[in-house]
Amino acid sequence: MKATVYVTIKQNVLDPQGTAVQGALHSMGFAEVDKVRIGKYLELTLDTTDRAEAEERVRAMCEKLLANTVVEDYRFELEG
Amino acid sequence: MKFAVIVFPGSNCDIDCYKAVEETIGQSVDYVWHTATDLSAYDAILVPGGFSYGDYLRCGAIARFAPVMAEVVKAAEAGKYVLGICNGFQILTEAGLLPGALLRNRDLKFLCHQSPLEVVNAATPFTNQYREGEVISIPIAHGEGNYYCDDETLARLQKNNQIVFRYASGGNPNGSVHDIAGICSERGNVVGMMPHPERAVSQLLGSEDGKRMFTSILNAWREQHDAAVNS
């Protein structure tokens, strides 16, 4: 089974990288860009076929390690 | 008094911490590898700066699960002195020993220079040799030192007097909430800070204002120890 995890900076937390990229896009003429938020994309290959178990365990991985829930949100998708 | 300096793969301020303890207070100090599973022999634990585990995923995120960290948590709960500097501060927040998180600096740059700090709380075991409100000069060296916590946590930090150091007026280098440079736990025995007091222990290094952090710890330990002996 494959898990795809997205980790994003919480909306109320400043993202200096996103702000810098937004500035770069503006200076290149992409004036329509209002806001840029940069996050992380993780692909996990799991040695299991039990979807419910995978869901529970990937959530635990996110809570414990993959995201810092003080400043980040996460969501994930399971396939296969 | 016995000090431990924790060493993770990628720590690079461990020698500075070790030498600072030797030079400033001449107490016993050991390097302790991240795989250690017993810190019971130590009175104070220093979690040094650097790039533990290459800062992969997030600064301190992986170090926080090293075997020795269970012992650091135990020591903190037992009321021992725990000081996290720079990457050590990031590790302590990841471990949940201190609230908040350290984000990328506001201007994205790695900053490495002297920084004036205001001593906000001079009553902790780490700052008892300073005066409240005193401005001291300690270097910073970090790319992710932008302290963040939510409003509720900030109010709690202020109410409990847990803000130990702030960047002195007008000198916030990294965008930290409320100019915070260092905080302590509710009990005060765990301190985390981005600036490096271990790099400010001699005029040859540009400042000796960091010395008193080490004499403070020894002083606090002696007071506690003598009280125990006399009671």
Side-chain angles (χ1 to χ4, degrees):
Chain A
M1 188 172 290
K2 191 179 138 194
T4 309
V5 181
Y6 303 87
V7 180
T8 51
I9 297 184
K10 279 186 196 289
Q11 282 307 321
N12 55 344
V13 176
L14 206 77
D15 175 13
Q17 271 195 99
T19 309
V21 170
Q22 183 208 32
L25 288 170
H26 280 180
S27 67
M28 292 159 75
F30 297 105
E32 72 273 31
V33 180
D34 257 351
K35 197 175 175 188
V36 179
R37 309 283 292 173
I38 296 180
K40 292 179 189 134
Y41 169 87
L42 300 92
E43 287 178 350
L44 281 61
T45 312
L46 307 174
D47 185 11
T48 177
T49 50
D50 183 335
R51 203 179 172 83
E53 190 202 5
E55 186 164 340
E56 188 188 321
R57 290 182 64 83
V58 172
R59 180 164 296 115
M61 292 176 210
C62 290
E63 289 285 336
K64 286 176 100 166
L65 176 66
L66 303 182
N68 178 346
T69 55
V70 174
V71 285
E72 293 170 329
D73 292 322
Y74 65 86
R75 66 186 172 85
F76 59 87
E77 291 153 9
L78 295 171
E79 265 177 71
Chain B
M1 183 176 187
K2 288 193 72 153
F3 283 76
V5 174
I6 308 294
V7 186
F8 297 97
S11 294
N12 66 9
C13 301
D14 42 335
I15 299 175
D16 306 61
C17 282
Y18 185 101
K19 294 285 175 195
V21 171
E22 270 191 338
E23 295 280 322
T24 58
I25 50 177
Q27 298 298 300
S28 152
V29 53
D30 291 331
Y31 293 115
V32 177
W33 191 233
H34 63 112
T35 51
T37 52
D38 184 6
L39 290 176
S40 58
Y42 300 101
D43 305 298
I45 291 143
L46 306 181
V47 188
F51 300 85
S52 56
Y53 299 89
D55 274 354
Y56 294 161
L57 193 64
R58 293 181 307 277
C59 308
I62 297 176
R64 168 248 187 287
F65 290 103
V68 76
M69 284 308 294
E71 283 295 299
V72 174
V73 171
K74 215 190 277 177
E77 282 167 359
K80 291 184 178 183
Y81 309 124
V82 179
L83 173 61
I85 300 167
C86 200
N87 188 221
F89 184 15
Q90 295 162 340
I91 295 168
L92 296 183
T93 58
E94 283 281 344
L97 286 173
L98 292 169
L102 282 312
L103 303 173
R104 184 70 85 88
N105 292 346
R106 181 186 41 205
D107 298 329
L108 302 173
K109 289 200 177 87
F110 188 95
L111 300 168
C112 187
H113 55 73
Q114 288 296 128
S115 182
L117 294 187
E118 180 196 342
V119 181
V120 181
N121 182 348
T124 76
F126 304 86
T127 51
N128 59 58
Q129 300 295 298
Y130 296 101
R131 286 185 320 277
E132 193 183 310
E134 185 178 351
V135 174
I136 59 176
S137 177
I138 307 279
I140 56 167
H142 59 247
E144 273 109 349
N146 179 352
Y147 181 77
Y148 173 83
C149 64
D150 58 24
D151 294 342
E152 203 179 303
T153 307
L154 177 62
R156 205 170 61 234
L157 290 175
Q158 288 173 308
K159 182 169 155 273
N160 298 333
N161 207 11
Q162 284 173 256
I163 299 168
V164 180
F165 297 109
R166 292 179 71 200
Y167 299 107
S169 64
N172 185 336
N174 54 28
S176 286
V177 162
H178 198 57
D179 304 332
I180 287 175
I183 57 170
C184 67
S185 60
E186 230 167 293
R187 281 170 78 182
N189 65 310
V190 180
V191 161
M193 61 193 296
M194 288 314 296
H196 288 272
E198 82 284 11
R199 295 191 192 176
V201 294
S202 160
Q203 279 305 343
L204 283 172
L205 299 173
S207 167
E208 51 181 26
D209 287 349
K211 250 185 181 175
R212 280 179 285 161
M213 284 211 71
F214 297 94
T215 54
S216 292
I217 301 171
L218 181 60
N219 184 54
W221 181 81
R222 282 197 172 137
E223 278 185 7
Q224 196 184 31
H225 192 70
D226 288 350
V229 169
N230 295 331
S231 62

mmCIF file of all heavy atoms in Angstrom, chain B residues 64-110:
data_model
loop_
_atom_site.group_PDB
_atom_site.id
_atom_site.type_symbol
_atom_site.label_atom_id
_atom_site.label_comp_id
_atom_site.label_asym_id
_atom_site.label_seq_id
_atom_site.Cartn_x
_atom_site.Cartn_y
_atom_site.Cartn_z
ATOM 1 N N ARG B 64 15.039 13.998 18.702
ATOM 2 C CA ARG B 64 14.112 13.914 19.812
ATOM 3 C C ARG B 64 13.751 12.459 20.144
ATOM 4 O O ARG B 64 13.350 12.142 21.253
ATOM 5 C CB ARG B 64 12.885 14.739 19.420
ATOM 6 C CG ARG B 64 11.676 14.617 20.252
ATOM 7 C CD ARG B 64 10.562 13.937 19.493
ATOM 8 N NE ARG B 64 9.311 13.962 20.231
ATOM 9 C CZ ARG B 64 9.069 13.220 21.296
ATOM 10 N NH1 ARG B 64 9.986 12.440 21.770
ATOM 11 N NH2 ARG B 64 7.896 13.266 21.902
ATOM 12 N N PHE B 65 13.944 11.544 19.171
ATOM 13 C CA PHE B 65 13.627 10.134 19.401
ATOM 14 C C PHE B 65 14.881 9.293 19.670
ATOM 15 O O PHE B 65 14.809 8.076 19.734
ATOM 16 C CB PHE B 65 12.854 9.559 18.213
ATOM 17 C CG PHE B 65 11.462 10.124 18.130
ATOM 18 C CD1 PHE B 65 11.150 11.107 17.203
ATOM 19 C CD2 PHE B 65 10.473 9.706 19.014
ATOM 20 C CE1 PHE B 65 9.865 11.650 17.149
ATOM 21 C CE2 PHE B 65 9.195 10.243 18.969
ATOM 22 C CZ PHE B 65 8.890 11.219 18.037
ATOM 23 N N ALA B 66 16.047 9.941 19.805
ATOM 24 C CA ALA B 66 17.264 9.204 20.145
ATOM 25 C C ALA B 66 17.082 8.596 21.542
ATOM 26 O O ALA B 66 16.396 9.174 22.387
ATOM 27 C CB ALA B 66 18.463 10.145 20.124
ATOM 28 N N PRO B 67 17.700 7.426 21.777
ATOM 29 C CA PRO B 67 17.516 6.754 23.075
ATOM 30 C C PRO B 67 17.790 7.667 24.282
ATOM 31 O O PRO B 67 17.053 7.620 25.268
ATOM 32 C CB PRO B 67 18.537 5.612 23.021
ATOM 33 C CG PRO B 67 18.724 5.337 21.571
ATOM 34 C CD PRO B 67 18.537 6.645 20.853
ATOM 35 N N VAL B 68 18.801 8.509 24.186
ATOM 36 C CA VAL B 68 19.173 9.330 25.340
ATOM 37 C C VAL B 68 18.061 10.324 25.718
ATOM 38 O O VAL B 68 17.972 10.766 26.862
ATOM 39 C CB VAL B 68 20.503 10.087 25.077
ATOM 40 C CG1 VAL B 68 20.302 11.277 24.154
ATOM 41 C CG2 VAL B 68 21.164 10.518 26.368
ATOM 42 N N MET B 69 17.184 10.643 24.769
ATOM 43 C CA MET B 69 16.176 11.666 25.055
ATOM 44 C C MET B 69 15.153 11.219 26.101
ATOM 45 O O MET B 69 14.629 12.038 26.852
ATOM 46 C CB MET B 69 15.478 12.118 23.769
ATOM 47 C CG MET B 69 16.318 13.047 22.910
ATOM 48 S SD MET B 69 16.984 14.461 23.807
ATOM 49 C CE MET B 69 15.474 15.347 24.224
ATOM 50 N N ALA B 70 14.899 9.917 26.194
ATOM 51 C CA ALA B 70 13.995 9.426 27.249
ATOM 52 C C ALA B 70 14.606 9.745 28.611
ATOM 53 O O ALA B 70 13.902 10.101 29.565
ATOM 54 C CB ALA B 70 13.774 7.928 27.083
ATOM 55 N N GLU B 71 15.935 9.660 28.671
ATOM 56 C CA GLU B 71 16.648 9.961 29.917
ATOM 57 C C GLU B 71 16.665 11.458 30.209
ATOM 58 O O GLU B 71 16.634 11.882 31.359
ATOM 59 C CB GLU B 71 18.091 9.446 29.810
ATOM 60 C CG GLU B 71 18.204 7.958 29.991
ATOM 61 C CD GLU B 71 17.801 7.518 31.396
ATOM 62 O OE1 GLU B 71 18.452 7.946 32.357
ATOM 63 O OE2 GLU B 71 16.832 6.750 31.519
ATOM 64 N N VAL B 72 16.747 12.259 29.147
ATOM 65 C CA VAL B 72 16.711 13.717 29.333
ATOM 66 C C VAL B 72 15.347 14.118 29.894
ATOM 67 O O VAL B 72 15.244 14.941 30.808
ATOM 68 C CB VAL B 72 17.036 14.465 28.014
ATOM 69 C CG1 VAL B 72 16.854 15.970 28.177
ATOM 70 C CG2 VAL B 72 18.461 14.153 27.555
ATOM 71 N N VAL B 73 14.297 13.492 29.373
ATOM 72 C CA VAL B 73 12.939 13.775 29.869
ATOM 73 C C VAL B 73 12.849 13.377 31.350
ATOM 74 O O VAL B 73 12.322 14.124 32.175
ATOM 75 C CB VAL B 73 11.883 13.014 29.023
ATOM 76 C CG1 VAL B 73 10.498 13.112 29.657
ATOM 77 C CG2 VAL B 73 11.858 13.556 27.595
ATOM 78 N N LYS B 74 13.398 12.230 31.663
ATOM 79 C CA LYS B 74 13.373 11.740 33.044
ATOM 80 C C LYS B 74 14.118 12.724 33.970
ATOM 81 O O LYS B 74 13.661 13.046 35.058
ATOM 82 C CB LYS B 74 14.059 10.368 33.083
ATOM 83 C CG LYS B 74 13.425 9.408 34.090
ATOM 84 C CD LYS B 74 14.266 8.167 34.287
ATOM 85 C CE LYS B 74 14.036 7.092 33.235
ATOM 86 N NZ LYS B 74 14.944 5.932 33.444
ATOM 87 N N ALA B 75 15.280 13.180 33.509
ATOM 88 C CA ALA B 75 16.084 14.123 34.307
ATOM 89 C C ALA B 75 15.308 15.423 34.528
ATOM 90 O O ALA B 75 15.300 15.988 35.625
ATOM 91 C CB ALA B 75 17.413 14.400 33.605
ATOM 92 N N ALA B 76 14.633 15.887 33.470
ATOM 93 C CA ALA B 76 13.851 17.126 33.580
ATOM 94 C C ALA B 76 12.733 16.946 34.593
ATOM 95 O O ALA B 76 12.479 17.820 35.428
ATOM 96 C CB ALA B 76 13.286 17.506 32.213
ATOM 97 N N GLU B 77 12.082 15.790 34.537
ATOM 98 C CA GLU B 77 10.990 15.518 35.478
ATOM 99 C C GLU B 77 11.501 15.423 36.909
ATOM 100 O O GLU B 77 10.800 15.769 37.860
ATOM 101 C CB GLU B 77 10.269 14.219 35.096
ATOM 102 C CG GLU B 77 9.324 14.425 33.923
ATOM 103 C CD GLU B 77 8.825 13.124 33.311
ATOM 104 O OE1 GLU B 77 9.226 12.036 33.785
ATOM 105 O OE2 GLU B 77 8.043 13.209 32.345
ATOM 106 N N ALA B 78 12.737 14.956 37.060
ATOM 107 C CA ALA B 78 13.328 14.828 38.400
ATOM 108 C C ALA B 78 13.810 16.181 38.925
ATOM 109 O O ALA B 78 14.329 16.275 40.039
ATOM 110 C CB ALA B 78 14.482 13.827 38.364
ATOM 111 N N GLY B 79 13.695 17.225 38.121
ATOM 112 C CA GLY B 79 14.085 18.560 38.569
ATOM 113 C C GLY B 79 15.553 18.884 38.325
ATOM 114 O O GLY B 79 16.060 19.903 38.792
ATOM 115 N N LYS B 80 16.250 18.019 37.577
ATOM 116 C CA LYS B 80 17.651 18.320 37.255
ATOM 117 C C LYS B 80 17.707 19.475 36.259
ATOM 118 O O LYS B 80 16.708 19.792 35.604
ATOM 119 C CB LYS B 80 18.320 17.086 36.667
ATOM 120 C CG LYS B 80 18.492 15.985 37.708
ATOM 121 C CD LYS B 80 19.232 14.818 37.122
ATOM 122 C CE LYS B 80 19.431 13.748 38.180
ATOM 123 N NZ LYS B 80 20.212 12.612 37.647
ATOM 124 N N TYR B 81 18.899 20.067 36.124
ATOM 125 C CA TYR B 81 19.037 21.220 35.235
ATOM 126 C C TYR B 81 19.284 20.749 33.806
ATOM 127 O O TYR B 81 20.206 19.979 33.554
ATOM 128 C CB TYR B 81 20.198 22.105 35.696
ATOM 129 C CG TYR B 81 20.109 22.461 37.165
ATOM 130 C CD1 TYR B 81 21.152 22.186 38.030
ATOM 131 C CD2 TYR B 81 18.956 23.054 37.686
ATOM 132 C CE1 TYR B 81 21.060 22.499 39.385
ATOM 133 C CE2 TYR B 81 18.854 23.358 39.028
ATOM 134 C CZ TYR B 81 19.902 23.080 39.877
ATOM 135 O OH TYR B 81 19.801 23.379 41.203
ATOM 136 N N VAL B 82 18.465 21.215 32.908
ATOM 137 C CA VAL B 82 18.614 20.858 31.493
ATOM 138 C C VAL B 82 18.685 22.161 30.692
ATOM 139 O O VAL B 82 17.795 23.009 30.800
ATOM 140 C CB VAL B 82 17.419 20.005 30.999
ATOM 141 C CG1 VAL B 82 17.574 19.675 29.522
ATOM 142 C CG2 VAL B 82 17.284 18.719 31.823
ATOM 143 N N LEU B 83 19.770 22.317 29.931
ATOM 144 C CA LEU B 83 19.939 23.526 29.117
ATOM 145 C C LEU B 83 20.110 23.135 27.655
ATOM 146 O O LEU B 83 21.043 22.406 27.310
ATOM 147 C CB LEU B 83 21.173 24.314 29.599
ATOM 148 C CG LEU B 83 21.589 25.527 28.761
ATOM 149 C CD1 LEU B 83 20.491 26.583 28.704
ATOM 150 C CD2 LEU B 83 22.879 26.146 29.324
ATOM 151 N N GLY B 84 19.211 23.591 26.809
ATOM 152 C CA GLY B 84 19.308 23.340 25.373
ATOM 153 C C GLY B 84 19.709 24.622 24.671
ATOM 154 O O GLY B 84 19.052 25.655 24.831
ATOM 155 N N ILE B 85 20.788 24.553 23.909
ATOM 156 C CA ILE B 85 21.288 25.738 23.220
ATOM 157 C C ILE B 85 21.150 25.532 21.716
ATOM 158 O O ILE B 85 21.620 24.524 21.187
ATOM 159 C CB ILE B 85 22.774 25.993 23.591
ATOM 160 C CG1 ILE B 85 22.916 26.205 25.097
ATOM 161 C CG2 ILE B 85 23.332 27.177 22.802
ATOM 162 C CD1 ILE B 85 24.353 26.142 25.600
ATOM 163 N N CYS B 86 20.506 26.485 21.041
ATOM 164 C CA CYS B 86 20.390 26.470 19.579
ATOM 165 C C CYS B 86 19.700 25.186 19.110
ATOM 166 O O CYS B 86 18.531 24.995 19.391
ATOM 167 C CB CYS B 86 21.773 26.676 18.948
ATOM 168 S SG CYS B 86 21.707 27.249 17.243
ATOM 169 N N ASN B 87 20.415 24.281 18.429
ATOM 170 C CA ASN B 87 19.774 23.024 18.029
ATOM 171 C C ASN B 87 19.249 22.280 19.266
ATOM 172 O O ASN B 87 18.218 21.597 19.202
ATOM 173 C CB ASN B 87 20.782 22.152 17.260
ATOM 174 C CG ASN B 87 20.174 20.904 16.633
ATOM 175 O OD1 ASN B 87 20.763 19.842 16.661
ATOM 176 N ND2 ASN B 87 18.982 21.018 16.055
ATOM 177 N N GLY B 88 19.920 22.459 20.400
ATOM 178 C CA GLY B 88 19.445 21.852 21.654
ATOM 179 C C GLY B 88 18.074 22.389 22.054
ATOM 180 O O GLY B 88 17.216 21.651 22.541
ATOM 181 N N PHE B 89 17.866 23.686 21.823
ATOM 182 C CA PHE B 89 16.557 24.315 22.095
ATOM 183 C C PHE B 89 15.506 23.708 21.156
ATOM 184 O O PHE B 89 14.403 23.329 21.569
ATOM 185 C CB PHE B 89 16.684 25.827 21.890
ATOM 186 C CG PHE B 89 15.455 26.654 22.212
ATOM 187 C CD1 PHE B 89 14.385 26.164 22.942
ATOM 188 C CD2 PHE B 89 15.385 27.986 21.780
ATOM 189 C CE1 PHE B 89 13.269 26.961 23.230
ATOM 190 C CE2 PHE B 89 14.274 28.782 22.062
ATOM 191 C CZ PHE B 89 13.215 28.261 22.782
ATOM 192 N N GLN B 90 15.877 23.580 19.880
ATOM 193 C CA GLN B 90 14.939 22.988 18.911
ATOM 194 C C GLN B 90 14.569 21.563 19.327
ATOM 195 O O GLN B 90 13.391 21.166 19.248
ATOM 196 C CB GLN B 90 15.591 22.983 17.518
ATOM 197 C CG GLN B 90 15.840 24.384 16.968
ATOM 198 C CD GLN B 90 16.851 24.418 15.819
ATOM 199 O OE1 GLN B 90 17.644 23.494 15.640
ATOM 200 N NE2 GLN B 90 16.850 25.486 15.046
ATOM 201 N N ILE B 91 15.551 20.813 19.809
ATOM 202 C CA ILE B 91 15.289 19.431 20.227
ATOM 203 C C ILE B 91 14.345 19.415 21.439
ATOM 204 O O ILE B 91 13.413 18.611 21.499
ATOM 205 C CB ILE B 91 16.614 18.696 20.549
ATOM 206 C CG1 ILE B 91 17.475 18.555 19.285
ATOM 207 C CG2 ILE B 91 16.346 17.318 21.164
ATOM 208 C CD1 ILE B 91 18.915 18.102 19.536
ATOM 209 N N LEU B 92 14.566 20.319 22.382
ATOM 210 C CA LEU B 92 13.717 20.339 23.587
ATOM 211 C C LEU B 92 12.270 20.723 23.258
ATOM 212 O O LEU B 92 11.338 20.218 23.879
ATOM 213 C CB LEU B 92 14.293 21.288 24.644
ATOM 214 C CG LEU B 92 15.664 20.914 25.234
ATOM 215 C CD1 LEU B 92 16.068 21.901 26.326
ATOM 216 C CD2 LEU B 92 15.683 19.494 25.800
ATOM 217 N N THR B 93 12.083 21.597 22.267
ATOM 218 C CA THR B 93 10.695 21.925 21.886
ATOM 219 C C THR B 93 10.069 20.733 21.155
ATOM 220 O O THR B 93 8.917 20.387 21.407
ATOM 221 C CB THR B 93 10.592 23.182 20.991
ATOM 222 O OG1 THR B 93 11.359 22.992 19.815
ATOM 223 C CG2 THR B 93 11.045 24.426 21.706
ATOM 224 N N GLU B 94 10.835 20.095 20.274
ATOM 225 C CA GLU B 94 10.304 18.911 19.572
ATOM 226 C C GLU B 94 9.926 17.819 20.572
ATOM 227 O O GLU B 94 8.966 17.086 20.379
ATOM 228 C CB GLU B 94 11.328 18.366 18.564
ATOM 229 C CG GLU B 94 11.417 19.176 17.268
ATOM 230 C CD GLU B 94 10.276 18.853 16.288
ATOM 231 O OE1 GLU B 94 9.606 17.828 16.454
ATOM 232 O OE2 GLU B 94 10.062 19.661 15.353
ATOM 233 N N ALA B 95 10.710 17.718 21.646
ATOM 234 C CA ALA B 95 10.465 16.683 22.662
ATOM 235 C C ALA B 95 9.312 17.064 23.587
ATOM 236 O O ALA B 95 8.914 16.266 24.434
ATOM 237 C CB ALA B 95 11.736 16.446 23.475
ATOM 238 N N GLY B 96 8.812 18.286 23.449
ATOM 239 C CA GLY B 96 7.700 18.716 24.297
ATOM 240 C C GLY B 96 8.136 19.128 25.702
ATOM 241 O O GLY B 96 7.302 19.346 26.573
ATOM 242 N N LEU B 97 9.438 19.277 25.925
ATOM 243 C CA LEU B 97 9.909 19.733 27.246
ATOM 244 C C LEU B 97 9.750 21.241 27.387
ATOM 245 O O LEU B 97 9.715 21.772 28.486
ATOM 246 C CB LEU B 97 11.379 19.347 27.457
ATOM 247 C CG LEU B 97 11.630 17.866 27.736
ATOM 248 C CD1 LEU B 97 13.126 17.563 27.746
ATOM 249 C CD2 LEU B 97 11.004 17.433 29.060
ATOM 250 N N LEU B 98 9.679 21.922 26.250
ATOM 251 C CA LEU B 98 9.420 23.362 26.232
ATOM 252 C C LEU B 98 8.342 23.637 25.185
ATOM 253 O O LEU B 98 8.303 22.944 24.156
ATOM 254 C CB LEU B 98 10.708 24.134 25.887
ATOM 255 C CG LEU B 98 11.821 24.093 26.945
ATOM 256 C CD1 LEU B 98 13.120 24.663 26.390
ATOM 257 C CD2 LEU B 98 11.417 24.838 28.214
ATOM 258 N N PRO B 99 7.481 24.617 25.418
ATOM 259 C CA PRO B 99 6.404 24.891 24.468
ATOM 260 C C PRO B 99 6.894 25.637 23.225
ATOM 261 O O PRO B 99 7.976 26.224 23.242
ATOM 262 C CB PRO B 99 5.456 25.780 25.276
ATOM 263 C CG PRO B 99 6.326 26.447 26.284
ATOM 264 C CD PRO B 99 7.439 25.477 26.612
ATOM 265 N N GLY B 100 6.089 25.611 22.166
ATOM 266 C CA GLY B 100 6.394 26.375 20.961
ATOM 267 C C GLY B 100 7.242 25.595 19.976
ATOM 268 O O GLY B 100 7.436 24.389 20.107
ATOM 269 N N ALA B 101 7.742 26.313 18.966
ATOM 270 C CA ALA B 101 8.555 25.701 17.917
ATOM 271 C C ALA B 101 9.472 26.772 17.341
ATOM 272 O O ALA B 101 9.216 27.972 17.487
ATOM 273 C CB ALA B 101 7.666 25.134 16.821
ATOM 274 N N LEU B 102 10.542 26.338 16.671
ATOM 275 C CA LEU B 102 11.474 27.269 16.027
ATOM 276 C C LEU B 102 11.305 27.144 14.517
ATOM 277 O O LEU B 102 11.460 26.062 13.950
ATOM 278 C CB LEU B 102 12.920 26.940 16.413
ATOM 279 C CG LEU B 102 13.420 27.389 17.802
ATOM 280 C CD1 LEU B 102 13.078 28.841 18.080
ATOM 281 C CD2 LEU B 102 12.952 26.512 18.915
ATOM 282 N N LEU B 103 10.978 28.268 13.893
ATOM 283 C CA LEU B 103 10.763 28.289 12.446
ATOM 284 C C LEU B 103 11.955 28.924 11.742
ATOM 285 O O LEU B 103 12.816 29.534 12.374
ATOM 286 C CB LEU B 103 9.516 29.132 12.124
ATOM 287 C CG LEU B 103 8.207 28.716 12.785
ATOM 288 C CD1 LEU B 103 7.137 29.752 12.484
ATOM 289 C CD2 LEU B 103 7.779 27.351 12.276
ATOM 290 N N ARG B 104 11.935 28.825 10.421
ATOM 291 C CA ARG B 104 12.925 29.485 9.571
ATOM 292 C C ARG B 104 12.978 30.986 9.903
ATOM 293 O O ARG B 104 11.938 31.614 10.106
ATOM 294 C CB ARG B 104 12.512 29.276 8.115
ATOM 295 C CG ARG B 104 13.490 29.809 7.093
ATOM 296 C CD ARG B 104 14.766 29.005 7.039
ATOM 297 N NE ARG B 104 14.632 27.850 6.181
ATOM 298 C CZ ARG B 104 14.871 27.864 4.875
ATOM 299 N NH1 ARG B 104 15.245 28.983 4.270
ATOM 300 N NH2 ARG B 104 14.742 26.787 4.167
ATOM 301 N N ASN B 105 14.184 31.561 9.953
ATOM 302 C CA ASN B 105 14.337 32.992 10.215
ATOM 303 C C ASN B 105 13.493 33.806 9.230
ATOM 304 O O ASN B 105 13.371 33.436 8.059
ATOM 305 C CB ASN B 105 15.796 33.432 10.061
ATOM 306 C CG ASN B 105 16.675 32.852 11.157
ATOM 307 O OD1 ASN B 105 16.179 32.336 12.162
ATOM 308 N ND2 ASN B 105 17.979 32.936 10.952
ATOM 309 N N ARG B 106 12.977 34.909 9.725
ATOM 310 C CA ARG B 106 12.093 35.755 8.920
ATOM 311 C C ARG B 106 12.693 36.076 7.554
ATOM 312 O O ARG B 106 12.026 36.030 6.535
ATOM 313 C CB ARG B 106 11.810 37.050 9.705
ATOM 314 C CG ARG B 106 10.897 38.052 9.063
ATOM 315 C CD ARG B 106 10.849 39.317 9.912
ATOM 316 N NE ARG B 106 12.188 39.652 10.401
ATOM 317 C CZ ARG B 106 12.433 40.372 11.497
ATOM 318 N NH1 ARG B 106 11.442 40.841 12.213
ATOM 319 N NH2 ARG B 106 13.676 40.626 11.869
ATOM 320 N N ASP B 107 13.995 36.403 7.520
ATOM 321 C CA ASP B 107 14.615 36.793 6.253
ATOM 322 C C ASP B 107 15.340 35.640 5.565
ATOM 323 O O ASP B 107 16.141 35.878 4.646
ATOM 324 C CB ASP B 107 15.569 37.968 6.483
ATOM 325 C CG ASP B 107 14.810 39.185 7.006
ATOM 326 O OD1 ASP B 107 13.628 39.343 6.642
ATOM 327 O OD2 ASP B 107 15.381 39.960 7.803
ATOM 328 N N LEU B 108 15.089 34.428 6.023
ATOM 329 C CA LEU B 108 15.603 33.187 5.429
ATOM 330 C C LEU B 108 17.113 33.002 5.535
ATOM 331 O O LEU B 108 17.646 31.991 5.108
ATOM 332 C CB LEU B 108 15.202 33.071 3.941
ATOM 333 C CG LEU B 108 13.718 33.110 3.634
ATOM 334 C CD1 LEU B 108 13.499 33.159 2.127
ATOM 335 C CD2 LEU B 108 12.999 31.910 4.212
ATOM 336 N N LYS B 109 17.813 33.982 6.098
ATOM 337 C CA LYS B 109 19.273 33.899 6.135
ATOM 338 C C LYS B 109 19.759 33.194 7.399
ATOM 339 O O LYS B 109 19.135 33.315 8.452
ATOM 340 C CB LYS B 109 19.874 35.301 6.120
ATOM 341 C CG LYS B 109 19.740 36.011 4.801
ATOM 342 C CD LYS B 109 20.765 37.152 4.737
ATOM 343 C CE LYS B 109 20.718 37.859 3.410
ATOM 344 N NZ LYS B 109 19.719 38.930 3.390
ATOM 345 N N PHE B 110 20.881 32.507 7.282
ATOM 346 C CA PHE B 110 21.579 32.009 8.456
ATOM 347 C C PHE B 110 22.258 33.214 9.091
ATOM 348 O O PHE B 110 22.981 33.947 8.415
ATOM 349 C CB PHE B 110 22.621 30.960 8.061
ATOM 350 C CG PHE B 110 23.248 30.279 9.244
ATOM 351 C CD1 PHE B 110 22.754 29.071 9.715
ATOM 352 C CD2 PHE B 110 24.335 30.860 9.902
ATOM 353 C CE1 PHE B 110 23.328 28.448 10.814
ATOM 354 C CE2 PHE B 110 24.907 30.240 11.006
ATOM 355 C CZ PHE B 110 24.407 29.029 11.458
#
